[in-house]
């Protein structure tokens, strides 16, 4: 491909590189076997060649990825992009045709990225990356579509890569910290805290978790960061156990699905508990519903093993996921946590009251403690109490604060 690609610098007519990735191929390959997969790839390759119309060079990159090199697109850029749009639409239509393999009907589609080669464009390797980046935009836009590469996209990708490498170093540079937010029971007694991660960046200041946790998840960094959080939270818990003012506190720790699904997660957790001397009965892992979407049975089994250690479980952000309620009573849960998106605007929309009341009922009927997060006013708290809510967390009682502030507040 690199050899076939024209040198962009002395290229007169624009040429374009098209990156095609099949959507849904992996599913067919996994569930109907490699033979069906190979057959499907052959059919799709033929369709791509045909739709590209004779003159273009089509190559398979491997897996279900193809590239098409289209040259001599004419002298005007406007015309060239029109031609590429038409080609992309032809490709999409061809790929979306149903495919019959041994009497089974398969439906795939394609995600397409396009970049132009010409003055100012990079070398073959760079152009391929640009086309691939554009293809990912198509995937994110919901698949079965095409996108042109755009330099602004490139800039975002570069900034993001920088951010990611800084996040990678955050732990060694001692930029991570835990803040703690108190949780109270119906009589306003502090029963525990939730540990919330903070990243203090030397230039950007404190980066909110909503800005870096998604990136940590996409780059798998969340596994080591999450390990640091657990380690730090457990060490803190162990320290509190020896302090008469703080001995009864529980510690809630957020666990990302990726972290929980690591094969060695239980082993790591157990090791941290033993090494720090934390009382596992006071440790509560907050899991979110999306953890149960893929392999609910495996997740339940892991929970069961952790439960044996004495550790508790809360289902976080409850009500925001799409999961069925059927699995709830089969999980070893201790607590349901009503998401703040229902609690904060509680009285603004009648639906929120219905949702909160239903979750509280559901929890009580299943024998689970129900905690509401995002409780900001006394009126909210009182309403929730009347519905039977057991516990509360929110700005009304306290914001997340650094360790020193927490200890000072709790000392009275
Ligand atoms: P979350 O688990 O739902 O945590 C509750 C968030 O709501 C916290 O935001 C907290 O500061 C905020 N909050 C609590 N009470 C109130 C209130 O009354 N009003 C308002 N407006 N906000 C309130 P924060 O600390 O920014 O954390 C955001 C999210 O980041 C967390 O949502 C959690 O999903 C994630 N996160 C935080 N720390 C960790 C961590 O150590 N590991 C993982 N995997 N995720 C974490
Ligand atoms: Ca694919
Ligand atoms: Ca949480
Ligand atoms: Ca939440």
């Amino acid at each position: 491909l690199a050899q076939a690609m024209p040198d962009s610098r002395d290229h007169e007519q624009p040429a374009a590189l098209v990156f095609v990735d099949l959507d849904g191929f992996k599913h067919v390959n996994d569930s109907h076997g490699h033979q069906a997969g190979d057959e499907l790839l052959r059919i799709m390759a033929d369709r791509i060649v045909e739709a590209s119309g004779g003159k273009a060079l089509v190559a398979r990159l491997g897996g279900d990825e193809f590239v098409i090199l289209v040259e001599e697109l004419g002298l005007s850029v406007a015309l060239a992009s029109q031609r590429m749009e038409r080609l992309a639409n032809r490709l999409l239509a061809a790929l979306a045709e149903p495919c019959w393999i041994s009497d089974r009907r398969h439906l795939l589609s394609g995600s397409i990225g396009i970049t132009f080669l010409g003055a100012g464009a990079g070398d073959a390797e760079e152009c391929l990356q640009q086309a691939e980046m554009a293809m990912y935009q198509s995937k994110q836009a919901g698949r079965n579509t095409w996108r042109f590469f755009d330099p602004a996209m490139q800039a975002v990708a570069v900034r993001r890569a920088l951010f990611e490498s800084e996040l990678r170093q955050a732990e060694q540079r001692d930029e991570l910290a835990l803040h703690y937010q108190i949780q109270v029971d119906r009589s306003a007694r502090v029963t525990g805290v939730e540990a919330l991660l903070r990243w203090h960046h030397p230039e950007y200041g404190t980066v909110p978790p909503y800005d870096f946790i998604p990136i940590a998840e996409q780059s798998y960094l969340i596994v080591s960061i999450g390990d640091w959080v657990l380690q730090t939270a457990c060490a803190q818990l162990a320290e509190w156990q020896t302090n008469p003012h703080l001995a009864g506190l529980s510690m809630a720790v957020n666990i990302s699905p990726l972290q929980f699904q690591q094969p060695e997660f239980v082993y790591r957790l157990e090791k941290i508990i033993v090494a720090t001397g934390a009382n596992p009965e006071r440790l509560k892992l907050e899991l979110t519903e999306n953890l149960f979407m893929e392999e609910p049975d495996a997740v339940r089994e892991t929970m069961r093993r952790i439960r044996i250690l004495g550790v508790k479980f809360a289902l976080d952000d409850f009500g925001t996921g799409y999961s069925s309620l059927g699995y709830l009573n089969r999980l070893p849960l201790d607590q349901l946590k009503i998401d703040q998106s229902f609690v904060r605007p509680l009285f603004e929309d009648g639906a929120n009251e219905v949702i909160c009341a239903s979750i509280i009922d559901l929890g009580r009927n299943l024998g689970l403690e129900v905690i509401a997060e995002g409780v900001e006013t006394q009126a909210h708290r009182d309403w929730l109490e009347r519905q039977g809510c057991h516990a509360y967390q929110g700005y009304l009682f306290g914001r997340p604060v650094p360790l020193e502030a927490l200890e000072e507040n709790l000392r009275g």
Side-chain angles (χ1 to χ4, degrees):
L1 182 76
Q3 278 169 11
M5 269 171 62
D7 184 352
S8 54
R9 277 166 294 271
D10 47 49
H11 203 64
E12 290 193 345
Q13 290 198 19
L17 202 60
V18 183
F19 199 111
V20 182
D21 185 289
L22 303 180
D23 310 317
F25 170 74
K26 193 177 172 307
H27 171 75
V28 174
N29 202 48
D30 289 351
S31 46
H32 301 285
H34 294 302
Q35 230 171 333
D38 289 348
E39 175 71 24
L40 197 58
L41 278 180
R42 263 194 301 278
I43 297 173
M44 291 302 178
D46 285 346
R47 291 183 185 178
I48 292 172
V49 170
E50 198 184 312
S52 308
K55 274 196 288 175
L57 174 78
V58 179
R60 187 174 149 212
L61 275 186
D64 57 350
E65 297 174 341
F66 298 84
V67 277
I68 308 164
L69 176 64
V70 191
E71 293 188 86
E72 294 181 22
L73 278 165
L75 285 172
S76 114
V77 177
L79 194 64
S81 44
Q82 255 181 38
R83 286 191 179 162
M84 292 314 296
E85 283 185 27
R86 277 207 301 275
L87 169 60
N89 286 331
R90 264 202 319 275
L91 283 165
L92 290 181
L95 295 176
E97 284 280 311
C99 247
W100 290 91
I101 295 171
S102 29
D103 290 340
R104 232 193 215 104
R105 186 166 176 267
H106 299 286
L107 277 179
L108 300 193
S109 63
S111 292
I112 296 179
I114 308 163
T115 191
F116 284 108
L117 320 174
D123 60 11
E125 183 75 18
E126 258 173 75
C127 289
L128 196 61
Q129 280 172 8
Q130 294 176 352
E132 186 177 15
M133 223 183 289
M135 181 279 289
Y136 276 116
Q137 296 279 306
S138 300
K139 288 252 185 233
Q140 276 178 5
R143 306 166 156 203
N144 190 26
T145 186
W146 50 264
R147 288 286 183 274
F148 282 115
F149 168 77
D150 119 45
M153 201 162 98
Q154 173 74 24
V156 169
V158 169
R159 265 206 306 281
R160 204 199 119 113
L162 182 72
F163 195 69
E164 194 182 303
S165 81
E166 289 178 319
L167 184 55
R168 206 175 287 281
Q169 295 161 10
E171 192 189 321
Q172 288 99 350
R173 293 187 182 168
D174 215 16
E175 293 169 1
L176 298 180
L178 291 183
H179 282 194
Y180 301 93
Q181 185 177 31
I182 57 171
Q183 302 180 331
V184 303
D185 66 12
R186 289 165 73 91
S187 49
R189 195 176 63 94
V190 179
T191 54
V193 298
E194 176 176 6
L196 293 157
L197 185 59
R198 297 292 178 263
W199 178 18
H200 299 296
H201 188 282
E203 277 168 63
Y204 315 143
T206 301
V207 187
Y210 289 119
D211 286 349
F212 70 89
I213 286 182
I215 291 176
E217 273 169 350
Q218 285 159 28
S219 56
Y220 277 77
L221 278 172
I222 194 66
V223 175
S224 61
I225 292 178
D227 201 71
W228 178 88
V229 170
L230 259 181
Q231 169 73 40
T232 310
C234 285
Q236 198 53 65
L237 191 57
E239 200 188 303
W240 288 341
Q241 280 158 209
T242 62
N243 178 330
H245 295 289
L246 307 169
L249 292 183
S250 69
M251 173 79 78
V253 178
N254 293 284
I255 305 291
S256 135
L258 211 60
Q259 184 188 0
F260 192 85
Q261 283 160 339
Q262 295 299 302
E264 66 276 24
F265 180 71
V266 183
Y267 169 78
R268 278 298 303 158
L269 177 66
E270 195 171 358
K271 215 170 151 186
I272 289 173
I273 290 171
V274 171
T276 56
N279 178 356
E281 304 275 345
R282 301 238 182 276
L283 179 64
K284 188 162 57 190
L285 303 186
E286 296 201 353
L287 309 177
T288 48
E289 284 168 277
N290 48 4
L291 174 64
F292 302 96
M293 270 163 51
E294 268 168 41
E295 287 175 279
D297 293 337
V299 170
R300 191 167 42 154
E301 173 57 21
T302 307
M303 287 176 75
R304 204 189 51 79
R305 287 169 56 204
I306 293 173
R307 216 13 171 16
I308 293 172
L309 306 175
V311 175
K312 306 282 186 286
F313 285 108
L315 192 52
D316 203 1
D317 297 347
F318 188 69
T320 60
Y322 297 98
S323 44
S324 80
L325 295 179
Y327 71 94
L328 261 188
N329 61 349
R330 292 188 288 130
L331 296 177
L333 286 173
D334 301 278
Q335 191 183 56
L336 283 187
K337 201 164 188 185
I338 312 177
D339 191 62
Q340 52 174 290
S341 61
F342 307 116
V343 177
R344 280 164 55 202
L346 185 61
F347 303 125
E348 287 162 30
D349 178 349
N352 290 330
E353 292 174 44
V354 175
I355 291 167
C356 287
S358 310
I359 294 176
I360 293 167
D361 264 2
L362 180 70
R364 297 187 73 96
N365 289 331
L366 292 175
L368 302 175
E369 184 181 87
V370 180
I371 184 169
E373 75 176 355
V375 181
E376 293 184 350
T377 72
Q378 190 65 36
H380 285 60
R381 186 220 157 268
D382 291 345
W383 185 91
L384 289 159
E385 186 186 24
R386 283 199 297 280
Q387 305 306 311
C389 190
H390 303 100
Y392 315 92
Q393 178 181 342
Y395 291 175
L396 174 65
F397 306 97
R399 292 181 178 247
V401 290
L403 178 66
E404 309 75 57
L406 176 83
E407 292 186 341
E408 201 170 301
N409 295 346
L410 291 183
R411 230 174 280 127

